[in-house]
Amino acid sequence: MVWFPSQRLYSAVRGICFLSGCKFCFLRKLSIEPVQQRKIPNRYLGQPSPFTHPHLLKPGEVTPGLSQTEYSLRRHKLMARIQQEVPGMDHTVILLSNPTYYMSNDIPYTFHQDTNFLYLCGFQEPDSILVLQSLPGKPLPSHKALLFVPRRDPSRELWDGPRSGTDGAVALTGVDEGYTIEEFRHLVAKLKDESTVVWYDFAKPVHPQLHSDYLLHLAEVKARSKTRIRAIRPLVQSLRLVKSSAEIERMKIAGKVTSQAFIETMFASKTPVNEAFLYAKFEFECRARGADILAYPPVVAGGNRSNTLHYVKNNQLIKDGEMVLLDGGCESSCYVSDITRTWPISGRFTGPQAELYQAVLEVQKSCLRLCSPGVSLENVYSFMLTLIGQKLKDLGVLQQSITENHLFKAVRKYCPHHVGHYLGMDVHDTPDISRSIPLQPGMVITIEPGIYIPENDASAPERFRGIGVRIEDDVVVTENTPLILSEDCPKEIYDVERVCGS
């Protein structure tokens, strides 16, 4: 019997579904039980809660902007995919959290959760396990969700801060049951039966210690079984590829925060300036506007260093007359941005800089117009190479007589990277998903053409040597015009000069 959700759940379902031609597919395919609201403990947990951080989370939210209902729907959708893959069996899904990593002795790096684990439950503590189990006698996607979490320990919490414990984890995330991590071994013993299909990424465990302690023996037993362990990562990534309306709202915030940080960093770029200062300025402006962290170490590359694609030393002086390429993004409420701009440190483009910049800008704008359902990133990439090839001919970097067979190879010398990638909770999101699949509404991608001419390239016109330009925007694919999440970040020559010269 289908349970018809309340208007609140109906709205969440309608916002989450992007499958073409069906606004109500969840109502047709999934039997969803209402989320049972449990009282959040009146104490600090291992992550923000509506009780301790009402300025960040509304009642019922697990992470900012994302409710227990949304996380529950994700789990249901995953179990529905599993039913399609292997019908008629009992199934258990196991996902591990990340461990805490240490830079030296007892000095930890800032903890960052495994994003597949985070996507399905929103729990942000290390050393934890999420389990989804099919229910005896009930067809998928009916299941129960269990979290195994570190036991509360006053002596450790004195040093490391509060832990959620089983009660806090269940109340915050809305999973069905919570247990201490030590109790997981009792569940593992029951999974050796050949009637149970286990979904777990054993080939590359996210948490090596938890794998060794609890799952290594199970993997060995299942390797000799008829029901071998199956990887869950590909199915989770396929879900993460298409964003819900709530996810896109998070990414809009990340895009706006990053765009404002770029404007402030451009404004502060007065010669002489060190790359390290611009790095610090960019990070400060992101954090001051509410970003949690930077999404990745930014590229802040002055002059010829912009021709090193992943230059992250960011420690050199930028000379008057040079440009700086800044590739940076922030993470805000579990979702990231990834934007690149190139601008003159003096506030005005030189003639050759403007020529090369305008060529890249025109290519980028043409590629943006192509981002629509049915087109793949590979299609956009081929289109980009063709456009850059023509621009390089017009600029005199490539000869007009170059043959079609040799054109792409010549272009890749000056633009050796792809046109873009998927974006979401990770910068290079869902990396196992092919860039050859057709784009769908709700996918988020980057579009980032570039032209890079090293200073020692004797075959290029001298006026362009030592100049590297990349322009990157974050794009939501829609049924109509693409939604540019980074549209507030200046990129027209007039706008860039106006900001830099203010």
Side-chain angles (χ1 to χ4, degrees), residues 167-231:
D167 62 332
V170 170
L172 179 63
T173 65
V175 298
D176 300 298
E177 299 171 12
Y179 301 93
T180 63
I181 198 71
E182 293 82 5
E183 293 175 283
F184 182 65
R185 67 176 69 256
H186 302 306
L187 174 65
V188 172
K190 302 175 183 178
L191 299 180
K192 299 173 184 178
D193 193 296
E194 292 199 357
S195 65
T196 300
V197 179
V198 175
W199 297 79
Y200 167 62
D201 296 313
F202 70 93
K204 192 176 180 181
V206 170
H207 195 307
Q209 190 63 54
L210 287 179
H211 173 78
S212 175
D213 289 349
Y214 298 107
L215 292 160
L216 179 59
H217 181 61
L218 175 65
E220 292 170 346
V221 170
K222 283 289 188 180
R224 301 187 295 270
S225 166
K226 293 179 182 178
T227 53
R228 295 191 174 185
I229 292 179
R230 292 172 172 259

Coordinates of all heavy atoms in Angstrom, one line a residue, residues 167-231:
D167 N 22.1 8.3 20.2 CA 20.9 9.1 20.3 C 20.9 10.3 19.4 O 20.0 10.6 18.7 CB 20.5 9.4 21.7 CG 21.6 10.3 22.4 OD1 22.8 10.2 22.0 OD2 21.2 11.0 23.3
G168 N 22.1 11.0 19.5 CA 22.2 12.2 18.7 C 22.2 11.9 17.2 O 21.6 12.7 16.4
A169 N 22.9 10.9 16.8 CA 23.0 10.5 15.4 C 21.7 10.2 14.8 O 21.3 10.6 13.7 CB 24.0 9.3 15.2
V170 N 20.9 9.4 15.6 CA 19.5 9.0 15.1 C 18.6 10.3 15.0 O 17.9 10.5 14.0 CB 18.9 7.9 16.0 CG1 17.5 7.7 15.6 CG2 19.7 6.6 15.8
A171 N 18.6 11.1 16.1 CA 17.7 12.2 16.1 C 18.0 13.2 15.0 O 17.2 13.8 14.4 CB 17.8 12.9 17.5
L172 N 19.3 13.5 14.8 CA 19.7 14.5 13.8 C 19.5 14.0 12.4 O 19.0 14.7 11.5 CB 21.2 14.8 14.0 CG 21.8 15.9 13.0 CD1 21.0 17.2 13.2 CD2 23.3 16.1 13.2
T173 N 19.9 12.8 12.1 CA 19.9 12.3 10.7 C 18.6 11.7 10.2 O 18.3 11.6 9.0 CB 21.0 11.3 10.4 OG1 20.7 10.1 11.2 CG2 22.4 11.9 10.8
G174 N 17.8 11.2 11.2 CA 16.5 10.6 10.8 C 16.6 9.1 10.4 O 15.7 8.5 9.9
V175 N 17.8 8.5 10.6 CA 17.9 7.0 10.3 C 17.1 6.3 11.3 O 16.7 6.8 12.3 CB 19.4 6.6 10.3 CG1 20.2 7.3 9.3 CG2 20.0 6.7 11.7
D176 N 16.9 5.0 11.0 CA 16.0 4.2 11.8 C 16.6 3.8 13.2 O 15.9 3.8 14.2 CB 15.5 2.9 11.1 CG 14.8 3.3 9.8 OD1 13.8 3.9 9.8 OD2 15.3 3.0 8.7
E177 N 17.8 3.4 13.2 CA 18.5 2.9 14.4 C 19.9 3.3 14.5 O 20.6 3.5 13.4 CB 18.4 1.3 14.4 CG 17.0 0.8 14.4 CD 17.0 -0.7 14.2 OE1 18.0 -1.4 14.3 OE2 15.9 -1.3 13.9
G178 N 20.4 3.4 15.7 CA 21.8 3.8 15.9 C 22.5 2.9 16.9 O 21.8 2.5 17.9
Y179 N 23.7 2.5 16.6 CA 24.5 1.6 17.5 C 25.9 2.1 17.6 O 26.4 3.0 16.8 CB 24.5 0.2 16.9 CG 23.1 -0.4 16.7 CD1 22.5 -0.3 15.5 CD2 22.5 -1.1 17.7 CE1 21.2 -0.8 15.3 CE2 21.2 -1.6 17.5 CZ 20.6 -1.5 16.3 OH 19.4 -2.0 16.1
T180 N 26.6 1.7 18.6 CA 28.0 2.0 18.7 C 28.8 1.2 17.7 O 28.3 0.1 17.2 CB 28.6 1.6 20.1 OG1 28.5 0.2 20.3 CG2 27.8 2.4 21.2
I181 N 29.9 1.7 17.3 CA 30.7 1.1 16.3 C 31.1 -0.4 16.6 O 31.2 -1.2 15.8 CB 32.0 1.9 15.9 CG1 32.6 1.6 14.6 CG2 33.0 1.9 17.0 CD1 31.7 2.0 13.4
E182 N 31.3 -0.6 17.9 CA 31.7 -2.0 18.3 C 30.6 -3.0 18.0 O 30.9 -4.2 17.8 CB 32.1 -2.0 19.8 CG 33.3 -1.2 20.2 CD 33.0 0.3 20.4 OE1 31.8 0.7 20.3 OE2 34.0 1.0 20.6
E183 N 29.4 -2.6 18.0 CA 28.3 -3.5 17.8 C 28.1 -3.9 16.3 O 27.4 -4.8 16.0 CB 27.0 -2.9 18.2 CG 26.9 -2.6 19.7 CD 25.6 -1.9 20.2 OE1 25.6 -0.6 20.0 OE2 24.7 -2.5 20.7
F184 N 28.9 -3.3 15.4 CA 28.8 -3.6 14.0 C 29.3 -5.1 13.7 O 28.8 -5.7 12.8 CB 29.7 -2.7 13.2 CG 29.7 -2.9 11.7 CD1 28.5 -2.7 11.0 CD2 30.8 -3.3 11.0 CE1 28.5 -2.9 9.6 CE2 30.8 -3.5 9.7 CZ 29.6 -3.3 9.0
R185 N 30.2 -5.6 14.6 CA 30.6 -7.0 14.3 C 29.5 -8.0 14.4 O 29.5 -9.0 13.8 CB 31.8 -7.3 15.3 CG 31.4 -7.4 16.7 CD 32.6 -7.9 17.6 NE 33.7 -6.8 17.6 CZ 34.8 -6.9 16.9 NH1 35.0 -7.9 16.1 NH2 35.7 -5.9 17.1
H186 N 28.5 -7.7 15.2 CA 27.3 -8.6 15.3 C 26.6 -8.7 14.0 O 26.1 -9.7 13.6 CB 26.4 -8.2 16.4 CG 27.1 -8.1 17.8 ND1 27.8 -9.2 18.3 CD2 27.2 -7.1 18.7 CE1 28.3 -8.8 19.5 NE2 27.9 -7.6 19.7
L187 N 26.5 -7.5 13.3 CA 25.8 -7.5 12.0 C 26.6 -8.2 10.9 O 26.1 -9.0 10.1 CB 25.5 -6.1 11.6 CG 25.0 -5.9 10.2 CD1 23.6 -6.5 10.1 CD2 24.9 -4.4 9.8
V188 N 27.9 -8.0 10.9 CA 28.8 -8.6 9.9 C 28.7 -10.1 9.9 O 28.7 -10.8 8.9 CB 30.3 -8.2 10.2 CG1 31.2 -8.9 9.3 CG2 30.4 -6.7 9.9
A189 N 28.6 -10.7 11.1 CA 28.5 -12.2 11.2 C 27.3 -12.7 10.5 O 27.4 -13.9 10.0 CB 28.5 -12.6 12.7
K190 N 26.3 -11.9 10.3 CA 25.1 -12.4 9.6 C 25.1 -12.2 8.1 O 24.2 -12.7 7.4 CB 23.8 -11.7 10.2 CG 23.7 -11.9 11.7 CD 22.5 -11.0 12.2 CE 22.4 -11.1 13.7 NZ 21.3 -10.2 14.2
L191 N 26.1 -11.6 7.6 CA 26.2 -11.2 6.2 C 26.9 -12.2 5.3 O 27.0 -12.1 4.1 CB 26.8 -9.8 6.0 CG 26.2 -8.7 6.7 CD1 26.9 -7.4 6.4 CD2 24.7 -8.5 6.2
K192 N 27.4 -13.3 6.0 CA 28.2 -14.3 5.2 C 27.2 -15.2 4.5 O 27.7 -16.0 3.6 CB 29.1 -15.1 6.2 CG 30.1 -14.2 6.8 CD 30.9 -15.0 7.9 CE 31.9 -14.0 8.6 NZ 32.6 -14.7 9.7
D193 N 26.0 -15.2 4.8 CA 25.0 -16.1 4.2 C 24.9 -15.8 2.7 O 24.9 -14.6 2.3 CB 23.6 -15.9 4.8 CG 22.6 -17.0 4.4 OD1 22.3 -17.1 3.2 OD2 22.2 -17.7 5.3
E194 N 24.8 -16.8 1.9 CA 24.8 -16.7 0.4 C 23.5 -16.0 -0.1 O 23.4 -15.7 -1.3 CB 25.1 -18.0 -0.3 CG 26.5 -18.5 -0.1 CD 26.9 -19.5 -1.1 OE1 26.1 -19.9 -1.9 OE2 28.1 -20.0 -1.1
S195 N 22.5 -16.0 0.7 CA 21.2 -15.4 0.3 C 21.3 -13.8 0.4 O 20.3 -13.2 -0.1 CB 20.1 -15.9 1.2 OG 20.2 -15.4 2.5
T196 N 22.3 -13.3 0.9 CA 22.4 -11.8 1.1 C 23.5 -11.3 0.1 O 24.6 -11.7 0.1 CB 22.8 -11.5 2.5 OG1 21.8 -11.9 3.4 CG2 23.0 -9.9 2.7
V197 N 23.1 -10.3 -0.7 CA 24.0 -9.5 -1.5 C 24.5 -8.3 -0.7 O 23.7 -7.5 -0.3 CB 23.3 -9.1 -2.8 CG1 24.3 -8.3 -3.7 CG2 22.8 -10.3 -3.6
V198 N 25.8 -8.3 -0.6 CA 26.5 -7.2 0.1 C 27.0 -6.2 -0.9 O 27.7 -6.5 -1.8 CB 27.6 -7.7 1.0 CG1 28.3 -6.5 1.7 CG2 27.0 -8.6 2.1
W199 N 26.6 -4.9 -0.7 CA 27.1 -3.8 -1.6 C 28.1 -3.0 -0.7 O 27.7 -2.3 0.2 CB 26.0 -2.9 -2.0 CG 25.0 -3.7 -2.9 CD1 24.0 -4.5 -2.4 CD2 24.8 -3.6 -4.3 NE1 23.3 -5.0 -3.5 CE2 23.8 -4.5 -4.6 CE3 25.5 -3.0 -5.3 CZ2 23.4 -4.7 -5.9 CZ3 25.1 -3.1 -6.6 CH2 24.1 -4.0 -6.9
Y200 N 29.4 -3.1 -1.1 CA 30.4 -2.4 -0.3 C 31.7 -2.2 -1.2 O 32.0 -3.2 -2.0 CB 30.8 -3.3 0.9 CG 32.0 -2.9 1.6 CD1 32.2 -1.6 2.2 CD2 33.1 -3.8 1.7 CE1 33.3 -1.3 2.9 CE2 34.3 -3.4 2.4 CZ 34.4 -2.2 3.0 OH 35.6 -1.8 3.6
D201 N 32.3 -1.1 -1.1 CA 33.5 -0.8 -1.9 C 34.8 -1.4 -1.3 O 35.6 -0.6 -0.7 CB 33.6 0.7 -2.2 CG 32.5 1.2 -3.0 OD1 32.1 0.6 -4.0 OD2 31.9 2.2 -2.6
F202 N 35.0 -2.7 -1.4 CA 36.1 -3.3 -0.7 C 37.4 -3.2 -1.4 O 38.5 -3.3 -0.8 CB 35.8 -4.8 -0.5 CG 35.8 -5.6 -1.8 CD1 36.9 -6.3 -2.2 CD2 34.6 -5.8 -2.5 CE1 36.9 -7.0 -3.4 CE2 34.6 -6.5 -3.7 CZ 35.8 -7.1 -4.1
A203 N 37.4 -2.9 -2.7 CA 38.6 -2.8 -3.5 C 39.4 -1.6 -3.1 O 40.7 -1.7 -3.1 CB 38.3 -2.7 -5.0
K204 N 38.8 -0.6 -2.6 CA 39.5 0.6 -2.2 C 38.8 1.2 -1.0 O 38.0 2.2 -1.1 CB 39.6 1.7 -3.3 CG 40.6 2.8 -3.0 CD 40.7 3.8 -4.2 CE 41.6 4.9 -3.9 NZ 41.7 5.9 -5.0
P205 N 38.9 0.6 0.2 CA 38.2 1.0 1.4 C 38.4 2.5 1.8 O 39.6 2.9 1.8 CB 38.7 0.1 2.5 CG 39.3 -1.0 1.8 CD 39.9 -0.5 0.5
V206 N 37.4 3.2 2.1 CA 37.5 4.6 2.5 C 38.2 4.7 3.8 O 39.0 5.6 4.0 CB 36.1 5.2 2.5 CG1 36.1 6.6 3.2 CG2 35.5 5.3 1.1
H207 N 37.9 3.8 4.7 CA 38.5 3.8 6.1 C 39.2 2.5 6.3 O 38.7 1.5 6.7 CB 37.3 3.9 7.1 CG 37.8 4.3 8.5 ND1 38.7 3.6 9.2 CD2 37.3 5.3 9.3 CE1 38.9 4.2 10.4 NE2 38.0 5.2 10.4
P208 N 40.5 2.5 6.0 CA 41.3 1.2 6.1 C 41.2 0.5 7.4 O 41.2 -0.7 7.4 CB 42.7 1.7 5.8 CG 42.6 2.9 5.0 CD 41.4 3.6 5.5
Q209 N 41.2 1.2 8.5 CA 41.1 0.6 9.8 C 39.8 -0.1 10.1 O 39.8 -1.3 10.5 CB 41.4 1.6 10.9 CG 41.6 1.0 12.3 CD 42.9 0.1 12.3 OE1 44.0 0.5 12.0 NE2 42.7 -1.2 12.7
L210 N 38.7 0.6 9.8 CA 37.4 -0.1 9.9 C 37.3 -1.3 9.0 O 36.7 -2.3 9.4 CB 36.3 0.9 9.6 CG 36.0 2.0 10.6 CD1 34.8 2.9 10.2 CD2 35.6 1.4 12.0
H211 N 37.8 -1.2 7.8 CA 37.8 -2.3 6.9 C 38.6 -3.5 7.4 O 38.1 -4.6 7.4 CB 38.4 -1.9 5.5 CG 38.6 -3.0 4.6 ND1 37.6 -3.5 3.8 CD2 39.7 -3.7 4.2 CE1 38.0 -4.5 3.1 NE2 39.3 -4.7 3.3
S212 N 39.8 -3.2 8.0 CA 40.6 -4.3 8.5 C 39.9 -4.9 9.8 O 40.0 -6.1 9.9 CB 42.0 -3.7 8.9 OG 42.8 -4.7 9.5
D213 N 39.3 -4.1 10.6 CA 38.8 -4.6 11.9 C 37.5 -5.4 11.7 O 37.2 -6.4 12.4 CB 38.5 -3.4 12.8 CG 39.7 -2.8 13.4 OD1 40.8 -3.4 13.2 OD2 39.6 -1.7 13.9
Y214 N 36.7 -5.0 10.7 CA 35.3 -5.6 10.6 C 35.0 -6.2 9.3 O 34.1 -7.1 9.2 CB 34.3 -4.5 10.9 CG 34.4 -3.8 12.2 CD1 34.9 -2.6 12.4 CD2 34.0 -4.6 13.4 CE1 35.0 -2.0 13.6 CE2 34.0 -4.0 14.6 CZ 34.5 -2.7 14.8 OH 34.6 -2.1 16.0
L215 N 35.6 -5.8 8.2 CA 35.1 -6.2 6.9 C 36.0 -7.0 6.0 O 35.6 -7.6 5.0 CB 34.6 -4.9 6.1 CG 33.4 -4.2 6.7 CD1 33.3 -2.8 6.2 CD2 32.1 -5.0 6.3
L216 N 37.3 -7.1 6.4 CA 38.3 -7.8 5.6 C 37.9 -9.3 5.5 O 37.9 -9.9 4.4 CB 39.7 -7.6 6.1 CG 40.8 -8.3 5.4 CD1 40.9 -7.9 4.0 CD2 42.1 -8.1 6.1
H217 N 37.6 -9.9 6.6 CA 37.2 -11.3 6.6 C 36.0 -11.6 5.8 O 35.9 -12.5 5.1 CB 37.1 -11.8 8.0 CG 36.7 -13.3 8.1 ND1 37.6 -14.3 7.6 CD2 35.6 -13.9 8.6 CE1 37.0 -15.5 7.8 NE2 35.8 -15.3 8.4
L218 N 35.0 -10.7 5.9 CA 33.7 -10.8 5.2 C 34.0 -10.8 3.7 O 33.5 -11.6 2.9 CB 32.7 -9.7 5.5 CG 31.4 -9.7 4.7 CD1 30.6 -10.9 5.0 CD2 30.6 -8.4 5.0
A219 N 34.9 -9.9 3.3 CA 35.3 -9.8 1.8 C 35.9 -11.1 1.4 O 35.6 -11.5 0.2 CB 36.2 -8.6 1.6
E220 N 36.7 -11.6 2.2 CA 37.4 -12.9 1.8 C 36.4 -14.0 1.7 O 36.5 -14.9 0.8 CB 38.5 -13.2 2.9 CG 39.7 -12.3 2.8 CD 40.6 -12.5 4.0 OE1 40.2 -13.2 5.0 OE2 41.7 -11.9 4.0
V221 N 35.4 -14.1 2.6 CA 34.4 -15.1 2.6 C 33.5 -15.0 1.4 O 33.2 -15.9 0.6 CB 33.6 -15.1 3.9 CG1 32.3 -16.0 3.7 CG2 34.4 -15.5 5.1
K222 N 33.1 -13.7 1.1 CA 32.2 -13.5 0.0 C 32.9 -13.7 -1.4 O 32.2 -14.0 -2.4 CB 31.7 -12.0 0.1 CG 30.6 -11.8 1.1 CD 29.3 -12.5 0.6 CE 28.1 -12.2 1.5 NZ 26.9 -12.8 1.1
A223 N 34.2 -13.6 -1.4 CA 35.0 -13.8 -2.6 C 34.8 -15.3 -3.1 O 34.9 -15.6 -4.3 CB 36.4 -13.5 -2.4
R224 N 34.5 -16.2 -2.1 CA 34.4 -17.6 -2.5 C 32.9 -18.0 -2.5 O 32.5 -19.2 -2.7 CB 35.0 -18.5 -1.4 CG 36.5 -18.2 -1.2 CD 37.2 -19.2 -0.3 NE 36.7 -19.1 1.1 CZ 37.2 -18.3 2.0 NH1 38.3 -17.5 1.7 NH2 36.7 -18.2 3.2
S225 N 32.0 -17.0 -2.4 CA 30.6 -17.2 -2.4 C 30.0 -17.0 -3.8 O 30.5 -16.3 -4.6 CB 29.9 -16.3 -1.4 OG 28.6 -16.2 -1.5
K226 N 28.7 -17.5 -4.0 CA 28.0 -17.2 -5.2 C 27.6 -15.8 -5.3 O 27.4 -15.2 -6.3 CB 26.8 -18.2 -5.3 CG 27.1 -19.6 -5.4 CD 25.8 -20.5 -5.5 CE 26.2 -21.9 -5.6 NZ 24.9 -22.8 -5.6
T227 N 27.3 -15.2 -4.1 CA 26.9 -13.8 -4.0 C 28.1 -12.9 -3.6 O 28.2 -12.6 -2.5 CB 25.7 -13.6 -3.1 OG1 26.1 -14.1 -1.8 CG2 24.5 -14.3 -3.5
R228 N 28.9 -12.6 -4.6 CA 30.1 -11.8 -4.3 C 29.7 -10.4 -4.0 O 28.7 -9.9 -4.3 CB 31.1 -11.8 -5.5 CG 31.6 -13.2 -5.8 CD 32.7 -13.2 -6.7 NE 33.4 -14.5 -6.9 CZ 34.4 -14.8 -7.6 NH1 35.0 -13.8 -8.3 NH2 34.9 -16.0 -7.7
I229 N 30.6 -9.7 -3.3 CA 30.4 -8.3 -2.9 C 30.4 -7.5 -4.2 O 31.2 -7.6 -5.1 CB 31.5 -7.8 -1.9 CG1 31.3 -8.5 -0.6 CG2 31.4 -6.3 -1.7 CD1 32.4 -8.1 0.5
R230 N 29.4 -6.5 -4.2 CA 29.3 -5.6 -5.4 C 29.6 -4.2 -4.9 O 29.3 -3.8 -3.8 CB 27.9 -5.7 -5.9 CG 27.5 -7.0 -6.6 CD 26.0 -7.0 -6.9 NE 25.7 -8.2 -7.7 CZ 25.5 -8.2 -9.0 NH1 25.6 -7.1 -9.7 NH2 25.2 -9.3 -9.7
A231 N 30.3 -3.5 -5.8 CA 30.6 -2.1 -5.5 C 29.4 -1.2 -5.5 O 28.5 -1.3 -6.4 CB 31.6 -1.6 -6.6

